């Protein structure tokens, strides 16, 4: 998400229907975003497994530049799976924080196109650096910076392909979203298989190759993309947030938190990334106008509630994969076991156990399906004139499904016995959790953009993604408990966080619901 968006006057002729009835630029942007999401979710899928099963063993850790220092200075001497969880928490949280800076750089200095190209290059470098164990931390840093420069500076270009009265605009974003979801489903199948079956570096390398492909496609797409109006973008950005005030306030908060950390355990547990995140949120609050601040405070109150509800979902990429790798009965059906598929360049053989990363594909496929199913369900009820809950009501309902999903994991762990866990309860978890996710995340994003003052809508979207920052940082901490806590209790902790989210949503609706409902839209 960029910090501010402007919609310049562009030449977007209605007869441009070269891509599924849409402008040719949409096809390029959809494929470029698909490549970036493929690379990102390849990393999400492999990172924790790679660290736990390969990298974070004493004989290899010594060869990673800066890792021994980071282990002592940043992670309090953690080892093994808890260290992997903490590193994952920092990486996966910071990729949701740096886009705020990426949007600022695009709007104020470089423009979206150059910023996006720089992000793609840096991300590709990061993926290829993952092939060198000694450069592991530099690879993560490159990916964090690259995602920050890339993310959000592409989606805004989709809307700019169309004039304001072009009815194709809504469908364009649906096509764009489909490209993202296809990539999320496919990435674990390709990069996960290569990483787990051939070699970890092949999986990361595949992500880098696809990112380079996206970069080349974006360069080729230049003639069919909307022209940038840098002056308009900078003006719109300046109208929303006082960035000098924001940056100074954020820096002061971070410095204060660093000074407090040794004496306040909660601040110390948050780590440098958590302190930067809090500083950014409070800095943004300081940088907006006094008239916009009350609504912004209300939305900021939702972030910890949303993050609590999201914890189980975000744990899927962390401790859940470690658990699945060691405890799930990942067996192909008997009719598929041993089947070979001959492709032009290779032969695929279905052998058990199938790669752990395929659990991410199961989750992504169900998530995509449930997003569509939930949207169609509420549209069907609306068309019939039946009752439909408001935004907060849907999030309360979603929390119930998240709780039910977490209980599936608890039940699977409780009834495991001495054998492996069958896939029924894990798949039920993914199904119920996906229904809950579909009731919470799209609805909450719509609420944020509806309530946001018009001048800072894009900034509010940036604040919204601090939800993922908070959730992923917390997951990095809680995920480290997996090695020392019995598994049923570990998943009960996640159920408890979802219950806390449910209580938070309910209290928020009781206290703030009417105020938000009466708030003028985008004024």
């Amino acid at each position: 998400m960029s910090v501010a968006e402007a919609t310049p006057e562009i030449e977007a002729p209605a007869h441009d229907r070269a891509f599924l009835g849409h402008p040719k630029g949409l096809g390029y942007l959809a494929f470029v975003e698909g490549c970036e999401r493929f690379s990102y979710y390849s990393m999400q899928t492999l990172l924790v497994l790679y660290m736990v099963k390969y990298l974070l063993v004493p004989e290899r850790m010594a060869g990673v530049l800066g890792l021994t220092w980071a282990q002592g200075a940043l992670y309090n001497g953690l080892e093994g799976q808890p260290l992997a969880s903490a590193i994952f928490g920092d990486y996966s949280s910071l990729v949701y924080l740096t886009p705020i800076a990426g949007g600022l750089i695009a709007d104020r200095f470089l423009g979206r196109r150059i910023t996006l190209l720089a992000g793609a290059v840096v991300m590709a470098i990061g993926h290829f650096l993952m092939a060198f164990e000694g450069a592991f931390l530099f690879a993560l840093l490159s990916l964090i910076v690259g995602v920050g420069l890339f993310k959000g500076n592409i989606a805004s270009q989709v809307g700019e392909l169309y004039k304001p009265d072009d009815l194709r605009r809504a469908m364009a974003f649906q096509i764009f979203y489909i490209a993202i979801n296809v990539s999320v489903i496919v990435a674990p199948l390709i990069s996960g298989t290569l990483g787990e079956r051939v070699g970890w570096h092949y999986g990361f390398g595949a992500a880098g190759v696809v990112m380079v492909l996206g970069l080349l496609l974006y360069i080729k797409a230049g003639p069919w993309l909307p022209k940038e109006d840098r002056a308009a973008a900078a003006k719109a950005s300046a109208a929303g947030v006082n960035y000098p005030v924001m940056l100074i306030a954020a820096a002061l908060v971070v410095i204060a938190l660093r000074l407090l950390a040794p004496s306040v355990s909660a601040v110390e547990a948050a780590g440098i990334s958590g302190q930067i995140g809090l500083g950014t949120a409070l800095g943004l609050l300081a940088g907006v106008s006094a008239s916009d601040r009350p609504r912004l405070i209300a939305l900021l109150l939702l972030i910890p509630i949303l993050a609590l509800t999201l914890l189980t979902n975000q744990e899927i990429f962390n401790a859940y994969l470690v658990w699945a790798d060691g405890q799930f009965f990942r067996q192909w059906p008997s009719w598929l076991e041993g089947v070979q598929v001959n492709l032009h360049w290779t032969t695929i053989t279905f052998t058990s156990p199938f790669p752990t990363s395929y659990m991410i594909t199961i989750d992504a496929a169900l998530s995509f399906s449930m997003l569509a199913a939930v949207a169609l369900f509420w549209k069907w009820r609306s068309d019939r004139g039946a009752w439909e809950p408001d935004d907060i009501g849907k999030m309360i309902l979603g929390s119930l499904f998240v709780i039910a999903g977490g209980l599936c994991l608890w039940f699977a762990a409780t009834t495991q016995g001495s054998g492996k866990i069958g896939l029924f309860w894990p798949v039920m978890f993914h199904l119920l959790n996906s229904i809950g996710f579909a009731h919470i995340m799209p609805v909450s994003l719509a609420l944020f953009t509806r309530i946001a003052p018009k001048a800072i809508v894009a900034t509010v979207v940036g604040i919204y993604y601090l939800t993922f920052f908070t959730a992923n940082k917390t997951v990095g901490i809680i995920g480290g408990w997996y090695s020392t806590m019995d598994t049923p209790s570990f998943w009960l902790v996640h159920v408890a966080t979802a219950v806390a989210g449910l209580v938070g949503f309910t209290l928020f609706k009781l206290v703030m619901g009417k105020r938000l409902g009466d708030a003028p839209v985008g004024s």
Side-chain angles (χ1 to χ4, degrees):
M1 61 291 161
S2 57
V3 175
E5 295 177 1
T7 304
E9 294 296 323
I10 63 170
E11 296 180 5
H15 63 263
D16 183 0
R17 298 176 179 273
F19 178 73
L20 302 177
H22 290 263
K24 194 171 184 177
L26 175 64
Y28 279 110
L29 291 175
F31 278 104
V32 171
E33 177 68 358
C35 289
E36 188 274 335
R37 290 290 87 185
F38 177 96
S39 300
Y40 176 78
Y41 278 98
S42 294
M43 190 70 180
Q44 288 285 94
T45 299
L46 290 174
L47 182 57
V48 168
L49 291 174
Y50 169 66
M51 288 191 287
V52 170
K53 299 178 70 174
Y54 182 82
L55 187 68
L56 298 185
V57 294
E59 59 269 24
R60 293 196 180 95
M61 279 186 63
V64 179
L65 293 175
L67 185 53
T68 302
W69 170 84
Q71 182 185 23
L74 301 179
Y75 299 114
N76 297 318
L78 291 175
E79 298 178 347
Q81 187 270 329
L83 177 59
S85 180
I87 293 173
F88 174 82
D90 280 344
Y91 163 76
S92 60
S93 60
L94 286 172
V95 293
Y96 282 100
L97 185 64
T98 52
I100 296 176
L104 172 61
I105 291 170
D107 289 338
R108 288 296 190 93
F109 304 108
L110 300 181
R112 279 192 298 273
R113 191 167 303 177
I114 294 176
T115 305
L116 189 149
L117 285 170
V121 170
V122 175
M123 286 175 67
I125 291 172
H127 284 298
F128 289 127
L129 282 176
M130 288 294 293
F132 304 95
E133 294 169 17
F136 175 69
L137 293 182
F138 296 98
L140 294 185
L141 181 61
S142 297
L143 290 166
I144 290 167
V145 172
V147 171
L149 295 173
F150 189 101
K151 189 175 176 64
N153 284 317
I154 187 169
S156 59
Q157 296 180 61
V158 174
E160 292 176 5
L161 291 168
Y162 303 86
K163 292 183 177 179
D165 58 349
D166 194 327
L167 299 179
R168 297 176 296 168
R169 179 191 294 258
M171 180 58 70
F173 279 98
Q174 293 184 25
I175 293 172
F176 187 74
Y177 186 74
I178 288 172
I180 294 173
N181 279 274
V182 169
S183 297
V184 176
I185 293 170
V186 171
L189 297 178
I190 297 177
S191 296
T193 301
L194 288 171
E196 292 191 64
R197 290 286 171 84
V198 182
W200 298 108
H201 303 314
Y202 287 93
F204 295 125
V209 168
V210 173
M211 193 65 245
V212 170
L213 176 61
L215 171 63
L216 296 175
L217 282 173
Y218 188 75
I219 293 172
K220 184 179 179 182
W224 293 281
L225 298 181
K227 296 180 176 64
E228 283 193 82
D229 188 339
R230 297 261 300 274
K235 183 178 179 181
S237 176
V241 178
N242 186 326
Y243 284 106
V245 170
M246 184 201 90
L247 293 173
I248 292 170
L252 291 174
V253 171
V254 172
I255 291 170
L257 290 173
R258 294 300 295 164
L259 293 174
L260 282 172
S263 56
V264 181
S265 58
V267 176
E268 186 175 17
I272 182 64
S273 61
Q275 295 155 14
I276 292 173
L278 180 58
T280 301
L282 296 178
L284 284 167
L285 192 61
V288 299
S289 67
S291 59
D292 292 335
R293 201 165 290 137
R295 270 186 281 176
L296 207 57
I297 291 173
L299 295 177
L300 281 172
L301 291 174
L302 266 178
I303 287 178
I305 302 172
L306 286 165
L308 282 170
T309 315
L310 262 181
L311 287 183
T312 310
N313 184 79
Q314 300 308 101
E315 195 71 74
I316 291 171
F317 298 99
N318 190 5
Y320 175 83
L321 280 179
V322 178
W323 184 45
D325 186 70
Q327 303 300 328
F328 284 11
F329 186 69
R330 306 187 316 276
Q331 196 82 12
W332 292 114
S334 57
W335 56 269
L336 193 56
E337 182 71 37
V339 171
Q340 293 186 335
V341 179
N342 294 313
L343 302 176
H344 180 68
W345 63 91
T346 189
T347 299
I348 298 175
T349 304
F350 290 88
T351 57
S352 298
F354 58 77
T356 308
S357 52
Y358 288 11
M359 299 304 299
I360 302 299
T361 290
I362 293 172
D363 180 73
L366 285 172
S367 180
F368 184 36
S369 302
M370 291 305 102
L371 280 168
V374 166
L376 290 173
F377 172 77
W378 289 117
K379 183 179 185 303
W380 172 75
R381 285 186 60 85
S382 177
D383 290 344
R384 291 167 58 90
W387 173 81
E388 181 177 353
D390 60 13
D391 290 343
I392 301 296
K394 287 181 179 177
M395 287 187 260
I396 291 173
L397 183 60
S399 299
L400 294 172
F401 279 100
V402 173
I403 292 168
L407 287 172
C408 288
L409 298 182
W410 168 80
F411 190 77
T414 301
T415 59
Q416 177 180 359
S418 59
K420 298 269 182 159
I421 297 171
L423 292 184
F424 175 78
W425 288 114
V427 170
M428 285 301 298
F429 155 69
H430 287 295
L431 175 63
L432 294 171
N433 183 71
S434 294
I435 296 173
F437 188 89
H439 278 91
I440 294 171
M441 300 320 298
V443 174
S444 58
L445 178 57
L447 175 66
F448 269 63
T449 55
R450 177 173 67 84
I451 299 301
K454 186 176 181 180
I456 58 168
V457 169
T459 299
V460 167
V461 173
I463 293 172
Y464 170 80
Y465 280 107
L466 289 177
T467 298
F468 289 91
F469 170 88
T470 306
N472 287 340
K473 177 61 183 177
T474 308
V475 159
I477 297 170
I478 294 178
W481 302 349
Y482 173 76
S483 295
T484 55
M485 182 181 288
D486 66 276
T487 307
S489 297
F490 179 77
W491 292 118
L492 272 183
V493 169
H494 291 76
V495 172
T497 62
V499 171
L502 171 64
V503 173
F505 283 134
T506 303
L507 293 175
F508 188 88
K509 181 175 175 62
L510 292 174
V511 176
M512 303 294 298
K514 189 175 187 305
R515 297 181 188 180
L516 292 181
D518 294 340
V521 179
S523 60

